[in-house]
């Protein structure tokens, strides 16, 4: 089987599209570049499909490499038969390949190995032959100084048979199917740990059982965490009788044979001692991998929505990191997000310097021509919002409350220290709160995605897969928006297609030494930025007010000549054609197809010319909580409140309604009727209306519904 055939089994597209995509990937083309500028070669595959092809291609290579290693090992042992070689060569199921390899794996000395040393393998073969021989009588022929009686001989032979059953590829395959269909997961409390601190959060799983196939990802990960922390014991099991009967049906060929009773003992032993521990662990790991995938996908979706949150744009912003005793940290930022001034005010208890704080805020707003105020949504957020709204400004100033998740992580990071070496963490944190209002994407890329706090059991999932998926999400978001090369930070630049950390650093150094970039061609002057990097990254970079207006669009430099021809044919200049809907409608796409750029690429160019450099993100909107709700004590069942979705999980979403604690809208309460995916109904940071269903002050839990 070729890699194209292997991928075709999973990705629903023509083999030629997969072949072209694999070829482009092998030529070091990036996924954003392929999906945006090579649509005609790939059959218009999107980024997610191309990512899947890239993963499957890697998986294929790993399987081939593993097969080569296994075949070499078995051959070195002198046990590679043509039949076995063909089976391993033809299989692309990694579990099946490992099953073929199992008998040849180096392992600790087993009971079967000892029995072979005692000369009992011929007796085991007679048992498996299931002839009409009297096994009990024949066993006397195998007595020696190590095998002192018939029972010892039969026991040794059964140990060998049990191992053969365990290594039987068909038996293992059937057992896996049984576990996948009918396994249950059960937990039981570890009594001595039940009273310990932290045990109560797992009380739900002190005595729990359900079909493993029905356990949602969040519940499975919660049970595994409870087990890892020692509060419960967990097991995966199937009906023992059913498992025994399944193996019996495969192994017993002659029910009249005197060996049947011995074989059944061997089957029972093989199941309890070898198969059940191995297959149940394998089944749990498989379920865990699926749960990881689901949770990682939830996290990636949330992160994507957060990164693509509406930006306010280039405005002068006053940002506040609110607090009570320690005061509110204030920073004033210019349109580029550069720090102009910082101050601390104390409008809340215990200092209550409200009048002085108001005067300072008014003075800063006037002095630095502030257009918007950004308030972090942590401690004292609501109180600070009310305080700000009482101030009578000389001109309208928009007030926003933004998520400050991860701001403290950023403020203590090397990135923040490099940006603001002369300021402490409180000032850096406030700057982050302000910048994430003007451009969430540009600011949040500086923070480890795991620290942003929009995941579900993020510390329990496969960390390598989590990082891989989150990095892919950031890359997807950055390249879907495009970046201003003259204002982008090194960290934002590093996510641009084909650039990476080192080239991003070189671009920033070149920019500081030579001034702002005036056109995309200048990129080629950046040290170590060659033709390939230019091809992959240039179209995702924007140059505002540059020499060539196409440099501020998503049109690739390789297509500039085509645009020039379009303009010439319409008797226009390129600047006159850009954003001229009347004229772009007259362009016949078929006329401009080249060997490199097909009909899909040309249509994309025309679309881009209509709205060059259009930011796919919506504009930021002001949101206001119910002024009567400040703490959980203010809530009553039946209240209808405005809220903002601040986290999405597989089982529902959490909504900020202006109290310290977010309320849960269970998946069943998102809308009337069945909902299979929370993301179908709500998005992160979406403004919603909810009704309070239940308030548990002691446990600080709020149940909400969107079914009004």
């Amino acid at each position: 089987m070729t890699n194209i055939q292997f991928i075709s089994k999973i990705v629903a597209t023509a083999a030629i599209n997969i072949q072209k995509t694999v070829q482009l990937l092998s030529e070091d083309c990036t996924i954003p570049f392929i999906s945006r500028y090579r649509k005609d070669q790939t059959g218009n595959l999107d980024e997610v499909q191309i990512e899947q092809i890239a993963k499957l291609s890697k998986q294929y290579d790993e399987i081939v490499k593993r097969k080569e290693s296994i075949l070499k090992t078995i051959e070195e042992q002198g046990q590679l038969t043509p039949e076995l070689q063909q089976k391993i060569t033809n299989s692309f199921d990694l579990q099946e390949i490992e099953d073929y390899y199992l008998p040849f794996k180096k392992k600790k000395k087993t009971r079967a190995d000892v029995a072979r040393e005692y000369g009992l393998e011929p007796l085991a073969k007679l048992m498996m032959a299931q002839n009409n021989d009297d096994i009990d009588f024949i066993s006397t022929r195998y007595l020696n100084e190590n095998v002192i009686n018939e029972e010892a001989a039969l026991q040794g032979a059964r140990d060998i048979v049990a191992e053969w059953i365990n290594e039987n590829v068909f038996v293992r395959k059937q057992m896996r199917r049984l576990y996948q269909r009918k396994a249950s997961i059960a937990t039981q409390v570890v009594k001595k740990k039940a009273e310990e601190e932290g045990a109560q959060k797992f009380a739900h799983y002190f005595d729990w059982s359900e079909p493993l196939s029905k356990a949602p990802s969040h519940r499975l990960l919660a049970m595994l965490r409870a087990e890892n922390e020692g509060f419960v014991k967990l097991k995966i099991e199937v009906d023992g009788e059913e498992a025994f009967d399944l193996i019996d049906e495969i192994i017993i060929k002659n029910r009249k044979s005197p060996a049947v009773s011995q074989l059944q003992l061997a089957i029972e032993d093989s199941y309890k001692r070898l198969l059940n521990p191995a297959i149940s662990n394998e089944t749990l790991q498989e379920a865990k991998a699926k749960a990881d995938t689901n949770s990682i996908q939830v996290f990636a979706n949330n992160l994507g929505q957060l990164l693509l949150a509406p930006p306010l744009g280039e405005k002068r912003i006053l940002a506040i990191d609110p607090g009570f005793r320690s005061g509110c940290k204030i920073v004033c930022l210019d349109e580029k997000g550069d720090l102009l001034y910082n101050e601390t005010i104390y409008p809340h208890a215990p200092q209550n310097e409200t009048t002085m704080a108001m005067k300072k805020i008014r003075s800063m707003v006037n002095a630095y021509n502030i257009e918007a105020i950004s308030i972090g949504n942590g401690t004292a957020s609501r109180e600070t919002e009310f305080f700000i709204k009482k101030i009578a400004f000389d001109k309208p100033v928009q007030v926003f409350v933004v998520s400050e998740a991860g701001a403290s992580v950023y403020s203590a990071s090397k990135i923040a220290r490099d940006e603001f070496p002369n300021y402490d963490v409180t000032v850096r944190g406030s700057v982050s709160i302000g910048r994430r209002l003007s451009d969430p994407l540009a600011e949040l890329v500086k923070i480890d995605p795991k620290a942003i706090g929009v995941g579900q059991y993020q510390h329990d999932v496969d960390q390598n897969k989590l990082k891989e998926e989150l990095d892919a999400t950031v890359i997807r978001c950055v390249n879907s928006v495009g970046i201003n090369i003259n204002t982008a930070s090194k960290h934002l630049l590093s996510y641009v297609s084909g650039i990476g950390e080192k080239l991003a650093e070189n671009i920033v150094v070149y920019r500081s030494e030579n001034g702002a970039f005036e056109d995309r061609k200048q990129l080629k002057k950046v040290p170590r930025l060659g033709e390939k990097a230019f091809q992959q990254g240039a179209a995702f970079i924007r140059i505002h007010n540059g020499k060539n207006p196409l440099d501020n669009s998503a049109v690739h430099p390789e297509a500039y000549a085509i645009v020039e021809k379009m303009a010439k044919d319409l008797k226009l200049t390129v600047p006159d054609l850009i954003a001229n809907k009347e004229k772009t409608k007259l362009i016949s796409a078929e006329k401009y197809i080249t060997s490199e750029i097909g009909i899909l690429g040309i249509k994309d160019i025309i679309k881009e010319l209509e709205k060059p450099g259009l930011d796919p993100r919506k504009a930021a909107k002001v949101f206001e909580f119910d002024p009567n709700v400040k703490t959980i004590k203010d809530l009553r069942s039946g209240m209808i409140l405005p809220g903002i979705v601040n986290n999405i999980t597989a089982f529902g979403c959490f909504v900020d309604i202006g109290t310290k604690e977010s309320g849960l809208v269970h998946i069943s309460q998102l809308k009337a009727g069945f909902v299979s995916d929370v993301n179908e109904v709500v998005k992160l940071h979406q403004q919603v209306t909810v009704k309070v269903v239940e308030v548990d002050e002691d446990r600080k839990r709020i149940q909400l519904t969107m079914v009004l």
Side-chain angles (χ1 to χ4, degrees), residues 383-670:
E383 290 80 0
T384 303
E385 182 190 357
F386 290 130
F387 156 72
I388 290 293
K389 286 182 176 177
K390 286 177 187 171
I391 302 173
F393 294 112
D394 296 339
K395 60 172 185 176
V397 178
Q398 289 182 297
V399 179
F400 297 84
V401 176
V402 303
S403 167
E404 61 179 48
S408 58
V409 174
Y410 161 77
S411 63
S413 69
K414 183 181 183 301
I415 296 170
R417 290 197 301 275
D418 290 345
E419 279 194 279
F420 301 103
N422 302 320
Y423 294 93
D424 67 15
V425 290
T426 60
V427 173
R428 297 175 199 149
S430 302
V431 170
S432 182
I433 288 167
R435 286 176 172 178
R436 62 179 64 188
L437 172 62
S438 61
D439 192 343
L441 179 62
E443 191 60 22
L444 291 172
V445 293
K446 300 174 188 173
I447 304 168
D448 180 349
K450 286 188 286 184
I452 297 173
V454 289
Q456 178 188 5
Y457 294 100
Q458 64 213 52
H459 302 296
D460 301 313
V461 301
D462 184 313
Q463 295 300 295
N464 290 331
K465 286 183 180 173
L466 177 63
K467 185 181 186 310
E468 195 178 282
E469 190 61 43
L470 297 184
D471 283 349
T473 301
V474 177
I475 289 166
R476 202 180 303 141
C477 292
V478 169
N479 290 286
S480 71
V481 171
I483 61 110
N484 181 342
I485 195 169
N486 289 320
T487 58
S489 68
K490 176 179 73 176
H491 316 285
L492 185 59
L493 278 164
S494 70
Y495 285 105
V496 172
S497 165
I499 300 299
E501 281 184 39
K502 187 61 192 165
L503 285 180
E505 201 171 302
N506 292 355
I507 288 170
V508 171
V509 170
Y510 181 90
R511 190 174 68 195
S512 66
E513 290 174 354
N514 299 279
F517 284 84
E518 294 181 343
D519 63 34
R520 282 172 171 166
K521 283 184 287 187
Q522 249 183 293
L523 278 166
K524 293 181 180 180
K525 294 181 181 177
V526 173
R528 305 181 71 86
L529 201 154
E531 283 296 330
K532 192 69 183 183
F534 181 81
Q535 180 204 42
Q536 298 299 305
F540 299 102
I541 281 166
R542 307 280 182 269
I543 297 175
H544 298 177
N545 305 314
K547 291 178 180 176
N548 188 335
L550 290 175
D551 285 349
N552 195 30
S553 75
V555 176
H556 198 286
E558 67 186 6
Y560 283 8
I562 293 173
V563 176
E564 286 160 11
K565 189 171 187 320
M566 288 173 176
K568 189 179 177 185
D569 290 348
L570 289 166
K571 297 182 171 51
L572 296 169
T573 63
V574 170
D576 289 338
L577 177 59
I578 290 173
N580 189 336
K581 277 190 182 181
E582 228 176 84
K583 296 296 182 182
T584 52
K585 278 179 186 174
L586 302 174
I587 299 170
S588 172
E590 290 77 8
K591 188 178 170 184
Y592 299 97
I593 293 170
T594 68
S595 56
E596 273 291 309
I597 303 170
I599 189 70
L600 296 172
I602 299 297
K603 283 181 176 177
D604 271 356
I605 291 167
I606 295 168
K607 194 175 170 185
E608 181 63 20
L609 289 173
E610 287 177 5
K611 295 178 179 178
L614 179 70
D615 193 324
R617 300 169 292 178
K618 295 175 182 174
K621 287 194 297 186
V622 173
F623 171 84
E624 291 187 1
F625 290 113
D626 187 313
N628 301 312
V629 174
K630 298 174 189 173
T631 71
I632 195 169
K633 293 180 186 296
D634 299 326
L635 297 175
R636 300 288 177 270
S637 294
M639 289 176 92
I640 308 286
L641 301 169
I644 294 178
V645 176
N646 62 0
N647 201 359
I648 294 174
T649 70
F651 55 84
C653 68
F654 287 92
V655 177
D656 183 355
I657 51 174
T659 60
K660 185 181 177 183
E661 305 78 12
S662 293
L664 171 66
V665 180
H666 189 266
I667 189 168
S668 63
Q669 296 297 312
L670 287 170

Side-chain angles (χ1 to χ4, degrees), residues 67 70-91 96-105 167 169:
K67 287 202 290 188
I70 285 171
L71 287 167
K72 187 182 175 188
T73 303
I74 300 172
E75 191 171 25
E76 285 170 355
Q77 293 176 16
Q79 299 192 65
L80 185 61
T81 64
E83 184 190 12
L84 179 59
Q85 184 170 9
Q86 190 174 11
K87 282 179 179 176
I88 293 172
T89 302
N90 291 343
S91 178
E96 186 177 64
I97 293 163
E98 294 295 344
D99 284 348
Y100 286 131
Y101 179 47
L102 189 59
F104 310 98
K105 238 178 187 174
E167 292 169 353
V169 174

Side-chain angles (χ1 to χ4, degrees), residues 157-174:
R158 290 199 302 269
D159 288 343
I160 295 170
V161 170
E163 189 167 273
W164 285 340
I165 292 168
N166 178 54
E167 292 169 353
N168 184 302
V169 174
F170 187 63
V171 168
R172 293 179 78 84
K173 198 175 278 188
Q174 293 303 108

Side-chain angles (χ1 to χ4, degrees), residues 272-284:
K272 288 181 178 175
R273 183 167 57 89
L274 303 170
L275 281 164
N276 181 46
I279 304 295
S280 64
N281 183 56
E282 200 179 274
T283 305
L284 179 59

